[in-house]
Amino acid sequence: MIQTIPTTPIDGQKPGTSGLRKTTATFRQPGYLENFVQSIWDGIGGVAGKVLVLGGDGRAFNAEAVQIILKMAVASGAAKVIVGQGGLLSTPAASNLIRARGADGGIILSASHNPGGDDGDFGVKYNTANGGPAPEPVTNAIFAASAAIAQYHILTAHDLDLNALGETGLGEMTVEVVDPVSDYAALMETLFDFDAIRALIASGFSLRFDAMHAITGPYAREILVNRLGAPEASVMNAVPLPDFGGGHPDPNPVWAHELMGLMMGADAPDFGAASDGDGDRNMIVGRGCYVTPSDSLAVIAANATCAPGYAKGLAGVARSMPTSAALDRVADARGLPCYATPTGWKFFGNLLDAGRATLCGEESAGTGSDHVREKDGLWAVLMWLNILATKRLSVAEVMQAHWAEFGRNYYSRHDYEGVDKTAAEALVADLRAQLDKLADLPAGPLVVSEAEDFSYTDPVDRSVTSGQGIQIKFEGGARLVLRLSGTGTHGATLRVYMENYEGSEFGTDPQAALVDVIAAAEALAGIKTRLGREAPDVVT
Ligand code: VG1
Ligand code: CO
């Protein structure tokens, strides 16, 4: 029986950088998920007759949420929902399924790199028919619907068994349970030279992939072990757990410290990598050599033609504005168009759809291409393996060669997590208010040359998105960006991004190379005093 349940709007159901993220406890409140899902249906003009893809990263509440969403899809007349077995899908696999099946859209259940479990976070993201995160007009419509909601519709029924593959009926709707891995693995085989990677591994090249007890375990096992012949032990923390084993599934040197310890140790493998909760981020590490995400993006752009799927060259490249300009140097040298977008993968969608960009990336460990409309962790790992298999160089040698050719953009991001929201917002607002007057003024040891509040005009649909981060450039070429995170669930997180280009000296520690920009940031924003913090919580 389809029930119509009266409800009232719940404050704060506003999607952030990547969907709606709240604590698991918040999502478990009666009606919370239901209100938001109905708001998605209402915001996109209903789901009657539509085909949707559904799955999540397996964190706590994933299984319950999938059942609720299926019952709400049938109650609003959806024709079909394609669900990953067990309710699981990585974000890039979901994006691929939407595209491959010509679905009208999809729902991905994840709070990505945020911790999960009963005391962690949960999230819901809506993706459109191109497979990508809903763009701002759509998320704004969903938010507007959440503020006007008066009722939701849901079928009263038993939970479906989502472990058996194949089609079943739920009321008038078809539910198709698919293997979450196979279509994605097949797509990877079309892009990369699996024979060459297999030969590299067979020659004794050793690797470790840290799935961080998140969604990529089964994907990495199938691709790296079963298809590429890596030993079983190459995939660590391979079993997805609802609380990610108590860890923080964010692939950076701080949270992936187990892998980092291994890679910096005496018996380090040749190659290490990790991915996040929902499988769209990546970290690349060589033996004794951490590769910053911005550098990884630049290396991939410079060498993508090693991979068969990109052999014909790139149409263009794109990065989020805070990402380092290492990519721009490659683009300049190769004559490629290069775009700088606001933070969040949704801003790459139009560039990818229009064929203006083939590769995109963010400093936050997200890299991807036009093969899907999300960033893709395992894709980046396979791209690196393909490059190494072709060049037969170590990761450290690839980096040295890259810097020798293009120079090095020393880069670091300092995060101040869970700080007082009012103080963080005031810090940003005060700095924003001064931007007009900063040019030519000293800032610690540096002198400001340009200061702006980043605003983006989409070159495809001409839509304008403003207030996307404070960008300050200094005489001599250094750059500073400050913005508040849009994915956290506690207080505020201030992100401070710093870079400085160096043409010939490549061996300096990034924190030392950036010491002047760090001092300039403190002089301009007064971070330590205003936030009451001595040091950042995470340095990447
Ligand atoms: C962060 C990153 C951003 C990324 C977003 C979603 O957003 O900075 O680059 O696109 O997370 O990634 P914010 O607003 O917290 O800075 V994921 O893998 O968490 O979906
Ligand atoms: Co993610």
Side-chain angles (χ1 to χ4, degrees), residues 112-113 276 278 280-281:
S112 195
H113 62 286
D276 70 332
D278 61 332
D280 57 359
R281 295 187 180 203

Side-chain angles (χ1 to χ4, degrees), residues 1 6 20 44 47 51 90 175 242 304 309 362 369 387 408 425 427 521:
M1 194 184 66
L20 183 69
I44 62 171
V47 286
V51 177
S90 77
V175 176
E362 296 191 277
S369 87
I387 292 168
R408 180 171 181 182
E425 283 172 353
L427 181 154

Side-chain angles (χ1 to χ4, degrees), residues 72-429:
M72 290 187 69
V74 60
S76 286
K80 181 174 186 175
V81 179
I82 301 165
V83 198
Q85 192 176 27
L88 301 179
L89 279 175
S90 77
T91 286
S95 181
N96 178 49
L97 264 184
I98 294 171
R99 297 166 64 76
R101 298 300 198 86
D104 296 287
I107 289 189
I108 301 171
L109 305 172
S110 173
S112 195
H113 62 286
N114 298 28
D118 296 341
D119 303 324
D121 292 339
F122 189 78
V124 177
K125 189 166 70 151
Y126 179 71
N127 282 29
T128 50
N130 73 345
E136 300 257 290
V138 178
T139 54
N140 289 341
I142 292 170
F143 179 53
S146 81
I149 191 168
Q151 55 189 29
Y152 66 83
H153 311 289
I154 188 160
L155 180 79
T156 326
H158 289 299
D159 284 356
L160 279 186
D161 173 11
L162 299 176
N163 292 314
L165 296 176
E167 292 195 351
T168 45
L170 180 64
E172 298 291 295
M173 187 176 85
T174 304
V175 176
E176 183 186 350
V177 179
V178 298
D179 180 288
V181 177
S182 55
D183 283 23
Y184 176 82
L187 173 66
M188 293 301 115
E189 292 221 32
T190 68
L191 300 173
F192 301 110
D193 188 343
F194 272 44
D195 289 339
I197 301 172
R198 205 178 293 117
L200 176 72
I201 292 171
S203 74
F205 177 93
S206 55
L207 66 101
R208 279 292 181 293
F209 178 87
D210 188 353
M212 304 187 87
H213 287 303
I215 191 69
T216 47
Y219 292 84
R221 269 206 177 133
E222 173 60 21
I223 294 172
L224 300 175
V225 178
N226 297 349
R227 301 197 186 200
L228 292 169
E232 185 94 27
S234 306
V235 183
M236 54 198 265
N237 300 319
V239 178
L241 297 173
D243 66 349
F244 307 120
H248 196 138
D250 192 352
N252 63 41
V254 177
W255 297 117
H257 45 80
E258 188 185 351
L259 177 70
M260 283 302 283
L262 194 64
M263 296 308 298
M264 299 301 148
D267 299 318
D270 294 299
F271 181 81
S275 190
D276 70 332
D278 61 332
D280 57 359
R281 295 187 180 203
N282 72 89
M283 178 175 82
I284 302 294
V285 207
R287 179 184 294 132
C289 173
Y290 167 70
V291 182
T292 64
S294 292
D295 277 347
S296 173
L297 173 63
V299 166
I300 288 174
N303 299 291
T305 51
C306 291
Y310 305 88
K312 63 183 192 308
L314 308 175
V317 292
R319 63 167 170 90
S320 67
M321 178 275 280
T323 302
S324 97
L327 179 69
D328 306 41
R329 299 195 170 271
V330 174
D332 275 355
R334 303 285 159 85
L336 296 173
C338 182
Y339 303 88
T341 62
T343 296
W345 208 261
K346 59 191 165 198
F347 294 102
F348 294 132
N350 277 349
L351 296 171
L352 293 165
D353 284 351
R356 290 194 185 216
T358 309
L359 292 182
C360 305
E362 296 191 277
E363 53 65 41
S364 53
T367 335
S369 87
D370 58 0
H371 68 292
V372 289
R373 292 295 179 274
E374 290 277 6
K375 54 192 189 274
D376 189 344
L378 267 165
W379 173 91
V381 172
L382 291 169
M383 178 62 99
W384 263 93
L385 289 173
N386 201 145
I387 292 168
L388 297 175
T390 308
K391 294 187 169 291
R392 294 285 175 144
L393 295 173
S394 70
V395 172
E397 287 164 347
V398 167
M399 290 320 303
Q400 287 302 326
H402 186 88
W403 292 329
E405 183 173 358
F406 300 101
R408 180 171 181 182
N409 286 67
Y410 282 103
Y411 186 84
S412 183
R413 188 182 87 197
H414 292 187
D415 289 340
Y416 296 83
E417 295 184 335
V419 298
D420 182 71
K421 201 165 180 215
T422 314
E425 283 172 353
L427 181 154
V428 172

